[in-house]
């Protein structure tokens, strides 16, 4: 793999290495800043603004005069991000893999080539010589460190169907396994801006693809605003104390949520129609997709019957920007999910989970979201 990167890297990486020694040396404040607590998603990232500022920096503008949302030292961080993306391109790593790498480096080092860290951790990804990542000198080489991260990522079975934070954690085995999610929006904006500077990089339509060549709609575990944890443990079949449907919810979404809430505490029935969940006939009860179908039917919206088809309803939305009434999908794959629930706002989801369990409300932090759809 390194031989491949070295060969192709002449095209992609030499302009980066010429740009200066900042990528190979840690900043003067060479202390680890990545051990802070998870602070939630950086939502609302202006991708166009990020692209504009990143392009100016890569074109030689002084980083001191630039502001890139989420970066406090863009003159140092942007070239390191460029190295990570370029290495990924040279190794034919898909766009999602590059985003995972950027999010990981943001969490571990804030995209700085650090000379110290927890125990013997070093570099952009805080890799440890004692754990077999290479010598200290090798790890401090951003190209080598990036190659090693991608090498380990590509060995993770099913990484392209994982959320960003799951895939990053599978490689890093961090003590803060949920922290990578907060950087996905920024990592996505950086990858998009940087990849455009390499001729022919990425797909023409900008879409990522999975290993089977299909467009990837895999999403991250980065919860929208709140993750529902503030409600504490939610007894099955109950409404969390303090929850109310957000006032700005679409009226039809409100009707759908209200109807679904009336089915709380009724038992799941695989294949059930959800037309009489409180009645004596088990087949009148709800499974996950019939709960969605009937909830929206009572709001005047027609949905198909199964998760496999509902994942194609409406339009795709980012899990970082969910609105009440959006459908979220998990289990299985993004193209063929096996479970669906309805986002209720406030970081909560209503669902018919599985056999022997009742219709319930769960926190979105418990969901590994593969796709999200807005059907209004």
């Amino acid at each position: 793999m390194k031989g491949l990167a070295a060969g192709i890297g002449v095209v992609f990486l030499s302009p980066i290495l010429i740009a200066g020694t900042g990528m190979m040396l840690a900043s003067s404040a060479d202390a680890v800043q990545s051990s802070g607590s998870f602070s939630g998603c950086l939502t609302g990232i202006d991708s166009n603004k990020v692209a504009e500022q990143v392009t100016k920096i890569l074109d030689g503008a002084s980083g001191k005069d630039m502001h890139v949302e989420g970066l406090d030292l863009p003159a140092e961080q942007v070239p390191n991000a460029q190295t990570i993306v370029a290495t990924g391109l040279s190794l034919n790593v898909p766009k999602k893999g590059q985003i995972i790498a950027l999010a990981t480096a943001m969490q571990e080092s804030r995209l700085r080539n650090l000379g110290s860290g927890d125990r013997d951790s070093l570099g952009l990804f805080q890799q440890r010589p004692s754990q077999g990542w290479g010598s200290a000198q090798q790890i401090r080489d951003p190209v080598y460190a990036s190659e090693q991260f991608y090498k380990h990522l590509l060995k993770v079975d099913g990484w392209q169907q994982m959320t960003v934070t799951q895939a990053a954690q599978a490689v890093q085995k961090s003590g803060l396994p949920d922290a990578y999610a907060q950087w996905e929006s920024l990592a996505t904006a950086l990858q998009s801006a940087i990849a455009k500077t390499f001729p022919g990089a990425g797909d023409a339509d900008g879409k990522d693809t999975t290993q089977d060549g299909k467009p990837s709609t895999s999403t991250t575990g980065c919860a929208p605003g709140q993750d529902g944890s503030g409600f504490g443990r939610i007894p099955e079949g109950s409404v969390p104390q303090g929850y109310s449907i957000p006032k700005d919810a679409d009226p039809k979404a409100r009707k759908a949520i209200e109807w679904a809430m009336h089915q709380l505490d009724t038992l799941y029935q695989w294949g059930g129609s959800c037309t009489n969940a409180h009645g004596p006939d088990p087949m009148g009860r709800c499974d996950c997709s019939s709960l969605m179908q009937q909830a929206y039917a009572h709001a005047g919206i027609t949905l198909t019957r199964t998760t496999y088809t509902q994942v194609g309803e409406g339009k795709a939305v980012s899990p970082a920007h969910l609105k009440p009434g959006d459908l979220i999908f998990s289990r299985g794959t993004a193209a063929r999910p096996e479970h669906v629930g309805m986002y209720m706002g406030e970081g909560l989801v209503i669902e018919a989970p599985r056999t022997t369990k009742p219709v319930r409300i769960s926190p979105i932090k418990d969901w590994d979201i593969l796709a999200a759809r807005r059907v209004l």
Side-chain angles (χ1 to χ4, degrees):
M1 179 179 287
K2 189 170 183 180
L4 173 62
I8 304 177
V10 173
V11 177
F12 283 122
L13 302 181
S14 56
I16 303 167
L17 301 180
I18 293 172
T21 59
M23 283 175 275
M24 303 298 291
L25 301 173
S27 68
S28 56
D30 206 23
V32 176
Q33 299 181 1
S34 61
S35 58
S37 61
F38 174 45
S39 60
C41 296
L42 287 171
T43 57
I45 292 288
D46 187 338
S47 298
N48 291 332
K49 188 66 174 179
V50 169
E52 176 186 343
Q53 300 289 7
V54 166
T55 301
K56 288 180 179 179
I57 291 172
L58 295 178
D59 285 343
S62 172
K64 296 179 181 179
D65 302 325
M66 297 295 169
H67 170 71
V68 180
E69 187 175 359
L71 302 182
D72 53 356
L73 296 169
E76 179 180 359
Q77 293 164 307
V78 169
N80 284 332
Q82 188 185 40
T83 298
I84 292 170
V85 172
T87 304
L89 291 171
S90 73
L91 299 177
N92 294 317
V93 176
K95 174 182 175 180
K96 181 175 180 179
Q98 297 167 39
I99 291 171
I100 293 167
L102 288 168
T104 301
M106 283 298 304
Q107 173 59 26
E108 298 293 349
S109 70
R110 299 300 188 265
L111 278 174
R112 299 165 60 206
N113 190 18
L114 299 176
S116 61
D118 178 45
R119 288 168 283 190
D120 59 336
S121 300
L122 297 166
L124 290 173
F125 298 93
Q126 289 292 279
Q127 295 157 338
R128 299 178 59 192
S130 65
Q131 299 300 309
W133 286 94
S135 68
Q137 182 178 4
Q138 287 174 318
I139 292 171
R140 289 291 302 283
D141 176 345
V143 176
Y144 173 89
S146 299
E147 286 179 353
Q148 289 300 304
F149 179 85
Y150 287 127
K151 178 180 178 180
H152 285 73
L153 175 66
L154 295 174
K155 288 182 178 179
V156 175
D157 186 35
W159 69 268
Q160 286 181 281
Q161 282 71 51
M162 295 180 179
T163 64
V164 167
T165 198
Q166 287 173 327
Q169 176 62 7
V171 175
Q172 298 294 107
K173 298 177 174 60
S174 167
L176 297 170
D178 298 322
Y180 303 103
Q182 65 185 311
W183 303 110
E184 188 201 358
S185 292
L186 178 57
T188 300
L190 286 173
Q191 192 280 336
S192 178
I194 292 169
K196 289 176 182 176
T197 67
F198 295 106
D203 297 316
D205 60 1
K207 295 179 181 178
D208 196 11
T209 54
T210 60
Q211 289 174 334
D212 59 6
K214 297 179 180 179
S216 171
T217 53
S218 180
T219 58
T220 75
C222 195
Q226 297 165 298
D227 63 5
S229 58
F231 290 99
R233 181 182 173 276
I234 304 172
E236 287 192 339
S238 68
V239 179
Q241 185 175 1
Y243 169 78
S244 61
I245 301 174
K247 294 180 180 180
D248 60 351
D250 183 285
K252 291 184 177 181
R254 178 179 294 275
K255 286 184 179 180
I257 294 170
E258 288 175 347
W259 190 89
M261 289 173 66
H262 283 297
Q263 316 315 311
L264 285 169
D265 209 30
T266 61
L267 282 177
Y268 175 99
Q269 176 62 51
W270 186 86
S273 65
C274 203
T275 53
N276 189 11
H278 296 273
D281 182 0
M283 296 311 294
R285 299 173 189 164
C286 309
D287 65 13
C288 65
S289 55
S290 65
L291 178 63
M292 303 299 105
Q293 182 189 47
Q294 290 302 316
Y296 264 112
H298 284 78
I301 302 293
T302 300
L303 296 183
T304 51
R305 175 62 182 84
T306 70
T307 56
Y308 307 139
T309 54
Q310 287 177 1
V311 75
E313 302 274 7
K315 64 179 180 180
V317 292
S318 166
H321 301 287
L322 293 179
K323 293 182 178 181
D326 287 347
L327 305 184
I328 61 174
F329 299 83
S330 67
R331 306 176 196 163
T333 67
R336 194 171 174 81
E338 298 173 359
H339 188 54
V340 61
M342 184 184 297
Y343 184 62
M344 304 171 63
E346 305 296 330
L348 299 176
V349 183
I350 190 164
E351 61 172 336
R354 61 180 181 275
T355 302
T356 75
K357 294 292 184 178
V359 174
R360 68 185 183 188
I361 294 172
S362 58
I364 201 168
K365 69 180 181 64
D366 293 345
W367 284 66
D368 295 326
I369 303 176
L370 294 171
R373 308 292 295 191
R374 184 162 298 152
V375 298
L376 296 173

